[in-house]
Amino acid sequence: MDELKLFLAAYWQLITVFVSFMLFVLALKVWWSEVKFFVMRTGWSFPLIGRLARAGRSDHKLGGDGWYPIEKRVCSDFYEHYKDFSQSPDYYEKCDDYLNKVEESGRSEKGPFLWALIIGLILLEAVGFAYVLAPFMAKNASSNEQTMLAWFVAFLLSIAAVFLTELTGKEWHKNSLLKKIRGWWEIEGKQKKLNLMPEKDISIDKTYNDNNSLKFQQVLNRVPANASVTPTYTATVITLVYICFLAVGAYLVRSYTLDADNTEMVNQAVMFEQTAADDPMALLEQSAESEDDIALPAELAQVNETATKKAEDEATSARSSASRVTFVILSVIFVMIQVVGIYFGFAFSYAGKESVKARNYTKNFNSAEELNDWLELKKDLIASQAEAYLQRLREKMSRRAVISSDEQEALQVGSTQRTFHHYLANQAVKKQVQATTPIVTQSSVVVSQVVAATPVVASVQTEPTPVEVATPAAAPVQVAAQTAEQSLPAELADVDLTKLSEEDLTVLAEDFELDLAWLKKQQRLAIIKSKSRTSV
């Protein structure tokens, strides 16, 4: 206990720096999204050199869409974080379904307690390595410099060991899933001659797309694998070589150091005897002692000297054996610490492509309602901050020395149409257009193919027969466009009104200066026509 106190008192600076660094890395891992959001906002608001400050010193032109490019840049940066919380109302159930299908429903990531334990194990390993390496680090350096360098190298070796054991544990967990896939495929899929390869690109949002697939296929759709879907042991081999190298190397260094110390002790004893033989005072003391002692016969003196030499050799051998056993125990302890690290990596890791993401959205909530309330709170917070940054940007731009009256009017009057909520509405419109474009293209291809085949049919029949084209059911995009093609702006021609919420309609009405009641009526008409088309 006293040695531990002396050690902590001597190297508390190094220990403090190391623990602080590990806590900093842990905080980055846990709150990475918040850190990114903070860095982004700091980049905009930093005094003098921040983007807001530079925007106030630059000239800007109003774009053709009615937005200043710098305003869209602000909205775009905030939108990148806003998207992380724009999940569907059933996202909680999707996350649960994803984890269940990938066989990782009951797993969890490492908590603060386990991370504290890992940091403690790293310190323990570093202490052991530092004691081994310190005597051999930079022979010409001072004792403190040798210790500092030994600690640095020991920390690097320990952190590398933790990293490799974590990778090995994850590899073992992934291999266990791959073995399950092959086992289930042998039972279910091989007899049906099904290929052992992913059939779909499954994400959390598309997790219901393979509900009808076999179990091995559901897992394979979510776990990355090689072409043959076989376990790999690359990280395991590297980790085993690294652990064996450190364990055996530490034992050999300690053993050779012990042999050197024993040899040095023997040499010191011989040098002491030679020095005593040449010292007159030592000879007088030995003669005085010999006069007081009873002189032994030569044979008995030889036996006594042999017994004393044997006792010293046995004591030295016993100390050496005990030390080597201790070194073996220390190496075994080091290996067991690595085994614990591998187990942590195996038990607290995920192999699914989006399993970590799914777990993060479900671990702190008991129901979908709780998750949705939290998502709405985060979206409102980001939106309010985006609006505040837009307002600060316009204030900076309006204070420029050279600004025309048209620009001043655009900044003051048009700002009500250039809000973050309007930007969100525009992004929703773009998503709708992108989602509906493949459907229209597909239907047009079908129509063109049927029309191309019509002359062949007409040449056989005496009267032309109307061709029935199998188009997508309901075709809501075309219905919405036909219903209001004469009144809706061109930007909304391909928008499916039936899929927009009341909030989306309100934003669109404000953005395009439309009557909200009329827009709701158009949505209702589109829904009615869609239902009638479906029933037919």
Side-chain angles (χ1 to χ4, degrees), residues 59-278:
D59 295 331
H60 303 277
K61 271 188 179 180
L62 198 65
D65 55 356
W67 285 75
Y68 284 98
I70 189 66
E71 291 177 332
K72 295 181 69 174
R73 181 66 182 274
V74 173
C75 293
S76 176
D77 285 354
F78 278 90
Y79 182 68
E80 289 299 318
H81 297 274
Y82 186 91
K83 288 190 303 184
D84 295 337
F85 307 99
S86 300
Q87 313 300 344
S88 58
D90 61 340
Y91 196 75
Y92 186 89
E93 287 79 9
K94 288 181 178 179
C95 291
D96 272 343
D97 183 80
Y98 188 94
L99 292 174
N100 285 328
K101 288 180 179 177
V102 80
E103 293 291 307
E104 293 181 329
S105 179
R107 302 179 70 85
S108 61
E109 291 186 295
K110 300 180 186 68
F113 174 76
L114 285 181
W115 279 112
L117 180 59
I118 291 174
I119 292 175
L121 293 177
I122 293 176
L123 283 174
L124 182 61
E125 293 176 357
V127 170
F129 284 131
Y131 275 116
V132 173
L133 299 175
F136 307 99
M137 301 298 295
K139 287 290 187 178
N140 297 328
S142 64
S143 177
N144 290 335
E145 291 175 346
Q146 289 180 356
T147 303
M148 293 280 289
L149 186 58
W151 268 96
F152 178 73
V153 175
F155 282 141
L156 291 181
L157 294 175
S158 301
I159 292 174
V162 172
F163 176 74
L164 289 175
T165 53
E166 180 75 9
L167 286 182
T168 301
K170 290 182 178 180
E171 186 178 65
W172 287 9
H173 169 57
K174 180 181 176 181
N175 288 343
S176 67
L177 292 180
L178 295 179
K179 291 177 182 178
K180 286 183 179 180
I181 291 172
R182 296 198 67 88
W184 288 332
W185 176 73
E186 292 283 347
I187 298 173
E188 300 177 315
K190 194 173 183 179
Q191 298 177 354
K192 299 179 181 179
K193 298 182 179 180
L194 298 178
N195 294 326
L196 194 60
M197 59 185 300
E199 60 179 2
K200 297 176 182 178
D201 184 16
I202 298 298
S203 61
I204 296 178
D205 289 322
K206 301 177 182 178
T207 186
Y208 299 137
N209 290 356
D210 60 351
N211 283 345
N212 298 326
S213 301
L214 297 177
K215 183 61 180 178
F216 83 90
Q217 193 69 65
Q218 292 178 346
V219 181
L220 185 57
N221 289 338
R222 291 162 176 81
V223 176
N226 53 27
S228 58
V229 193
T230 53
T232 57
Y233 297 95
T234 304
T236 302
V237 172
I238 295 175
T239 303
L240 290 179
V241 171
Y242 185 79
I243 292 174
C244 292
F245 174 76
L246 290 184
V248 175
Y251 170 79
L252 292 178
V253 169
R254 293 185 177 107
S255 181
Y256 290 148
T257 303
L258 177 64
D259 293 339
D261 292 339
N262 291 335
T263 302
E264 187 176 358
M265 290 176 60
V266 172
N267 293 334
Q268 288 179 353
V270 172
M271 291 178 62
F272 178 78
E273 292 178 356
Q274 292 177 354
T275 303
D278 298 335

Side-chain angles (χ1 to χ4, degrees), residues 168-403:
T168 301
K170 290 182 178 180
E171 186 178 65
W172 287 9
H173 169 57
K174 180 181 176 181
N175 288 343
S176 67
L177 292 180
L178 295 179
K179 291 177 182 178
K180 286 183 179 180
I181 291 172
R182 296 198 67 88
W184 288 332
W185 176 73
E186 292 283 347
I187 298 173
E188 300 177 315
K190 194 173 183 179
Q191 298 177 354
K192 299 179 181 179
K193 298 182 179 180
L194 298 178
N195 294 326
L196 194 60
M197 59 185 300
E199 60 179 2
K200 297 176 182 178
D201 184 16
I202 298 298
S203 61
I204 296 178
D205 289 322
K206 301 177 182 178
T207 186
Y208 299 137
N209 290 356
D210 60 351
N211 283 345
N212 298 326
S213 301
L214 297 177
K215 183 61 180 178
F216 83 90
Q217 193 69 65
Q218 292 178 346
V219 181
L220 185 57
N221 289 338
R222 291 162 176 81
V223 176
N226 53 27
S228 58
V229 193
T230 53
T232 57
Y233 297 95
T234 304
T236 302
V237 172
I238 295 175
T239 303
L240 290 179
V241 171
Y242 185 79
I243 292 174
C244 292
F245 174 76
L246 290 184
V248 175
Y251 170 79
L252 292 178
V253 169
R254 293 185 177 107
S255 181
Y256 290 148
T257 303
L258 177 64
D259 293 339
D261 292 339
N262 291 335
T263 302
E264 187 176 358
M265 290 176 60
V266 172
N267 293 334
Q268 288 179 353
V270 172
M271 291 178 62
F272 178 78
E273 292 178 356
Q274 292 177 354
T275 303
D278 298 335
D279 188 0
M281 298 300 296
L283 292 175
L284 291 176
E285 292 178 358
Q286 289 179 1
S287 61
E289 292 176 357
S290 61
E291 291 177 356
D292 296 336
D293 296 336
I294 300 175
L296 294 176
E299 295 180 357
L300 292 179
Q302 182 66 28
V303 171
N304 187 30
E305 183 178 355
T306 302
T308 302
K309 183 76 165 94
K310 183 179 180 181
E312 291 178 354
D313 293 341
E314 290 178 352
T316 302
S317 176
R319 283 194 299 268
S320 299
S321 300
S323 298
R324 286 186 170 83
V325 171
T326 303
F327 300 157
V328 171
I329 293 175
L330 291 175
S331 296
V332 171
I333 291 175
F334 168 75
V335 172
M336 293 307 299
I337 290 175
Q338 309 315 309
V339 172
V340 172
I342 293 175
Y343 171 75
F344 285 164
F346 173 79
F348 300 96
S349 63
Y350 293 93
K353 299 175 184 177
E354 294 191 349
S355 295
V356 175
K357 182 179 179 181
R359 177 60 181 168
N360 289 337
Y361 277 105
T362 57
K363 63 181 179 181
N364 296 325
F365 307 98
N366 297 319
S367 63
E369 289 76 12
E370 292 185 9
L371 174 60
N372 293 332
D373 291 342
W374 179 76
L375 291 175
E376 289 297 327
L377 180 63
K378 298 293 289 186
K379 288 193 295 185
D380 292 342
L381 177 62
I382 294 175
S384 62
Q385 291 185 344
E387 295 290 356
Y389 273 69
L390 281 175
Q391 184 63 30
R392 291 173 59 185
L393 172 65
R394 296 188 182 107
E395 291 177 359
K396 295 281 187 182
M397 293 171 63
S398 63
R399 294 173 185 171
R400 284 177 297 161
V402 179
I403 182 170

